[in-house]
Amino acid sequence: VNAISYTPNLRDIEFVLFEQLSLSELLGKPPYQHVARDDLRMVLEYGASFASDVIAPSNAEGDRTGCVWQAGRVTVPRVFEPVWAALQEQGWMGLVGAPEFGGQGLPRMIGTAIDEMFIAANPAFHTYFALGRAAANLLIHHGRDEDRRIFAPKILSGEWQGTMCLTEAGAGSDVGASTTRALPAGDGSYLISGTKVFITAGEHQMTANHVHLVLARLPDSPPGVKGLSLFLVPKLRVNASGEITEPNDVYCSKIESKMGIHGSATTVLNFGDNGRCQGFLVGEANQGIRCMFEMMNEARIIVGLQGQALAAAMYANAVKFAQERIQGSDIAQGKRITQAKVPIIRHPDVRRMLMTVRALAEGGRALLYYTSAQVDRALAARDPEVRARHEALVGLLTPICKAWASEAGVEACSQALQVYGGSGFVSDYPAEQYLRDSRISPIYEGTNGIQAIDLLFRKVLGNPAHMQEFSRQFSDWMQTRGRSRTLAPEIEILAASERRLQQATDALAERARQDAEMAALGAYPYLIMFGNLAVAWLLLDQAAIADANLAGELGAEDRRFFESKIAVARFFAHHILSQNHWRAAQVGAEDRSALDICL
Ligand SMILES: Cc1cc2nc3c(=O)[nH]c(=O)nc-3n(C[C@H](O)[C@H](O)[C@H](O)COP(=O)(O)OP(=O)(O)OC[C@H]3O[C@@H](n4cnc5c(N)ncnc54)[C@H](O)[C@@H]3O)c2cc1C
């Protein structure tokens, strides 16, 4: 049985938060007037040890045990139970939630850092945590008074589980095709009927109740997404004082057997088989998708983090393996049979793989934390124009966070597995589990193909303010840290790549006017190009900060850290950003064969 060990890279996490993204600037002022830097350091340290000592030991066993369905009840791995209890006791779910509802009101950036550590420690377990929190936040923003008073705090404390129910057998990416119905019951509530599939955490033994947020259609509502409303549907009914009363006609009829995240229950939920499933409208009628989008945007960052976190965890494991495994001799010494055998970390090709994993992990961290920083800065902004600018970046970068980082996660886990050779493929080592667990992230929360379409058509072509803000930030940077002499060759590659992205954007805009199919064909390579550029930029920003630090007096450990930041940024620019040449060719190709061929 594999021993998964996980020690978070707190040095890099704190560097990104405090030195790159200047998190301290936001403290002591609304909405973070009650937060001090030392408190945040402590939260990060506690979070890191909770991740390594409490969550990570449940990972391999949870994968092996998986979830069991019996007569409508689901048992998730027993090893999760004490971890959930500890999570509840320590209040981790309320970290960024509003203080009025039991939360601690910390910046989103800190929530993101804690999420990275918890996901890396056990991605399947984290799904319960993430969905509950997102459901509670949605109720706080859009729910009725009693939803805020009764349901949100119980979910945020971990006593009850929140879920997100969109998908149906005939409505996946096309959520507007949903057929679940809601009939007014005459007493202000609704009778819900329909079947939702693939619902994460839809049923399990860790919480006393479940609170499902369900998209359903009212009678006479328009077709498509504009006719969907959102309903709160408890598994067990609850009275006005918040006590559980009786079952609410919600039945879990199946769980999926799947490739990875075995400890995460993926359920089929039947609502109202007996005509007595009670639901309550959340927000306004026919506005369900708008409310849900808020929850989905939060969830998209989390899914990107899944890719990044698994990459980071696998890097640490793979480096350790490569330092210990002896095989072959040093290529620099020529081929002599008598030559001493070396650890595989000495082989250039192994170093290429390890650096790829590391650059994807640290680059993903930079992108995801930067996007979370924009959320915090939008919340803190007094000036509506400044707020709108931060929000534009969040809107633009969210599909990139989701899709780029989840693809990078799969690639990184696959490369890390390769470092282990045959041992990577067998379950004595953690690599095969990480690769299996990483593969869901490009799929759920809107497939990466759907993210690419969202980025190109809605975010870039649909609203020029998004791209204008990105370009403004980029050119401001070129005038400041972008003038670094040490990094001049890499910054030149970056600048050329930015021009290439602008050309690709113009070409796709033109194409979209003439031939939507051809534009859509270029959407995915365009998203990857954009992600590579944004990540290279943020890594070079880190390298410029590191370079400035290296000019001063430093201890050996700090010196090594800053030198490694420069090396990772350089590697990314030369070995990964260079992909944008062929990505640009792919975007610009006049070739229609994929559309014209009879497949
Ligand atoms: C483990 C797991 C957990 C999940 N958890 C939840 C959950 O908690 N709640 C929930 O509601 N759902 C959940 N889902 C569902 C998930 O979000 C969907 O599976 C996903 O959105 C894709 O829908 P689909 O499976 O129907 O695939 P489809 O929509 O049939 O897509 C199949 C392929 O076609 C492509 N495609 C489809 N339409 C288009 C289009 N218009 N343009 C371009 N390409 C397109 C897709 O990109 C994909 O490659 C979960 C799924 C899994 C596997």
Side-chain angles (χ1 to χ4, degrees):
V1 177
N2 81 60
I4 296 185
S5 78
Y6 171 61
T7 309
N9 185 349
L10 265 187
R11 179 71 176 95
D12 195 52
I13 290 172
E14 290 194 4
F15 169 73
V16 179
L17 292 174
F18 295 105
E19 290 170 71
Q20 183 178 25
L21 299 173
S22 310
L23 169 54
S24 304
E25 278 175 17
L26 294 173
L27 308 180
K29 297 179 272 213
Y32 307 120
Q33 65 277 19
H34 59 296
V35 185
R37 181 168 168 156
D38 284 349
D39 301 340
L40 296 184
R41 281 246 152 80
M42 220 153 68
V43 169
L44 290 171
E45 273 165 31
Y46 277 137
S49 53
F50 193 79
S52 320
D53 304 338
V54 183
I55 305 181
S58 67
N59 195 9
E61 191 177 328
D63 176 59
R64 230 177 22 258
T65 326
C67 301
V68 180
W69 178 94
Q70 195 181 19
R73 294 295 162 95
V74 177
T75 308
V76 301
R78 293 278 180 205
V79 70
F80 287 5
E81 289 174 2
V83 186
W84 187 260
L87 197 80
Q88 238 178 302
E89 198 181 294
Q90 297 187 18
W92 284 108
M93 214 185 283
L95 209 61
V96 291
E100 313 88 272
F101 304 101
Q104 294 164 44
L106 297 189
R108 180 67 79 85
M109 277 186 259
I110 292 294
T112 299
I114 295 292
D115 277 326
E116 177 194 330
M117 299 192 249
F118 288 10
I119 293 167
N122 185 341
F125 178 80
H126 185 268
T127 59
Y128 299 98
F129 175 80
L131 278 161
R133 185 181 52 196
N137 287 341
L138 190 148
L139 289 175
I140 289 170
H141 289 138
H142 298 285
R144 305 162 302 161
D145 279 350
E146 53 265 59
D147 300 340
R148 290 200 191 96
R149 188 169 47 82
I150 298 172
F151 290 93
K154 294 258 193 211
I155 302 173
L156 269 187
S157 71
E159 212 176 317
W160 295 353
Q161 172 74 59
T163 75
M164 174 169 166
C165 305
L166 292 85
T167 307
E168 297 177 11
S173 303
D174 186 8
V175 67
S178 304
T179 58
T180 296
R181 307 209 72 81
L183 289 177
D187 59 356
S189 73
Y190 294 82
L191 283 172
I192 310 293
S193 58
T195 302
K196 296 284 179 182
V197 304
F198 290 152
I199 304 308
T200 299
E203 159 66 32
H204 62 74
Q205 84 279 20
M206 293 194 296
T207 56
N209 200 0
H210 273 64
V211 182
H212 305 294
L213 293 177
V214 182
L215 280 182
R217 207 172 277 291
L218 289 163
D220 307 324
S221 59
V225 286
K226 294 200 169 127
L228 292 175
S229 306
L230 185 63
F231 296 88
L232 180 157
V233 183
K235 170 174 123 181
L236 304 170
R237 293 187 185 185
V238 171
N239 67 20
S241 6
E243 287 146 1
I244 290 172
T245 56
E246 54 178 330
N248 189 34
D249 197 10
V250 179
Y251 181 70
C252 171
S253 54
K254 186 187 167 200
I255 57 172
E256 306 297 340
S257 157
K258 53 196 195 301
M259 174 179 181
I261 54 166
H262 289 161
S264 174
T266 308
T267 63
V268 175
L269 295 180
N270 298 20
F271 295 95
D273 279 357
N274 305 301
R276 47 182 315 280
C277 176
Q278 193 178 42
F280 302 92
L281 186 64
V282 177
E284 286 172 33
N286 298 331
Q287 295 292 318
I289 204 73
R290 248 194 51 209
C291 302
M292 202 56 128
F293 253 122
E294 226 171 76
M295 185 170 174
M296 280 167 9
N297 277 338
E298 189 179 327
R300 282 175 184 168
I301 304 283
I302 302 282
V303 175
L305 268 174
Q306 291 176 343
Q308 183 275 328
L310 296 190
M314 264 325 291
Y315 172 72
N317 278 284
V319 162
K320 192 160 168 283
F321 181 89
Q323 284 162 341
E324 290 165 2
R325 167 80 176 155
I326 309 289
Q327 196 72 190
S329 45
D330 193 339
I331 197 169
Q333 305 294 322
K335 276 202 171 197
R336 265 179 288 129
I337 204 87
T338 52
Q339 213 187 294
K341 304 296 181 198
V342 295
I344 59 169
I345 201 160
R346 296 271 289 278
H347 301 312
D349 191 57
V350 172
R351 299 183 78 83
R352 171 191 63 77
M353 292 189 280
L354 288 170
M355 272 300 266
T356 302
V357 180
R358 180 164 175 171
L360 294 173
E362 291 184 14
R365 179 177 295 131
L367 174 69
L368 288 150
Y369 287 31
Y370 176 82
T371 306
S372 299
Q374 305 312 313
V375 176
D376 283 328
R377 288 184 181 275
L379 286 171
R382 299 259 172 91
D383 179 347
E385 213 175 286
V386 174
R387 186 178 317 128
R389 294 212 320 247
H390 291 297
E391 283 172 353
L393 285 174
V394 176
L396 179 74
L397 294 176
T398 297
I400 301 176
C401 283
K402 194 279 174 181
W404 185 92
S406 64
E407 297 290 353
V410 178
E411 169 66 14
C413 288
S414 178
Q415 291 280 336
L417 184 147
Q418 190 75 11
V419 169
Y420 284 76
S423 304
F425 199 68
V426 301
S427 31
D428 294 352
Y429 290 91
E432 62 88 26
Q433 185 191 335
Y434 272 91
L435 180 57
R436 282 189 286 105
D437 285 353
S438 72
R439 189 57 187 86
I440 183 60
S441 308
I443 299 170
Y444 58 13
E445 265 322 306
T447 61
N448 285 359
I450 298 291
Q451 302 300 323
I453 288 168
D454 178 53
L455 173 71
L456 177 64
F457 291 101
R458 276 192 57 224
K459 303 292 168 57
V460 173
L461 303 182
N463 182 352
H466 287 119
M467 213 42 188
Q468 275 158 12
E469 184 54 22
F470 181 82
S471 303
R472 210 178 63 84
Q473 294 286 336
F474 187 86
S475 30
D476 285 356
W477 183 87
M478 287 297 284
Q479 299 310 316
T480 51
R481 288 190 188 138
R483 291 184 180 275
S484 158
R485 286 226 191 134
T486 317
L487 299 160
E490 289 75 26
I491 290 173
E492 215 175 292
I493 299 176
L494 182 76
S497 190
E498 200 262 346
R499 288 192 295 276
R500 203 169 288 123
L501 184 81
Q502 293 294 353
Q503 285 159 7
T505 308
D506 295 343
L508 285 171
E510 182 58 30
R511 204 168 264 185
R513 280 190 284 274
Q514 292 167 6
D515 186 344
E517 272 188 323
M518 278 295 278
L521 198 57
Y524 178 81
Y526 178 76
L527 181 144
I528 298 296
M529 251 181 111
F530 209 143
N532 286 340
L533 175 77
V535 168
W537 170 39
L538 293 169
L539 286 178
L540 283 165
D541 183 46
Q542 295 184 354
I545 298 169
D547 187 40
N549 274 290
L550 283 166
E553 287 280 306
L554 289 175
E557 205 177 303
D558 279 339
R559 182 158 292 278
R560 195 174 142 209
F561 174 77
F562 289 125
E563 282 169 358
S564 77
K565 291 273 54 165
I566 294 181
V568 168
R570 283 192 167 138
F571 181 87
F572 195 98
H574 292 283
H575 295 262
I576 299 178
L577 182 59
S578 49
Q579 282 178 7
N580 280 13
H581 282 287
W582 67 265
R583 288 293 186 190
Q586 208 181 353
V587 169
E590 296 287 343
D591 167 54
R592 288 189 55 89
S593 52
L595 303 175
D596 295 340
I597 189 178
C598 177
L599 288 173

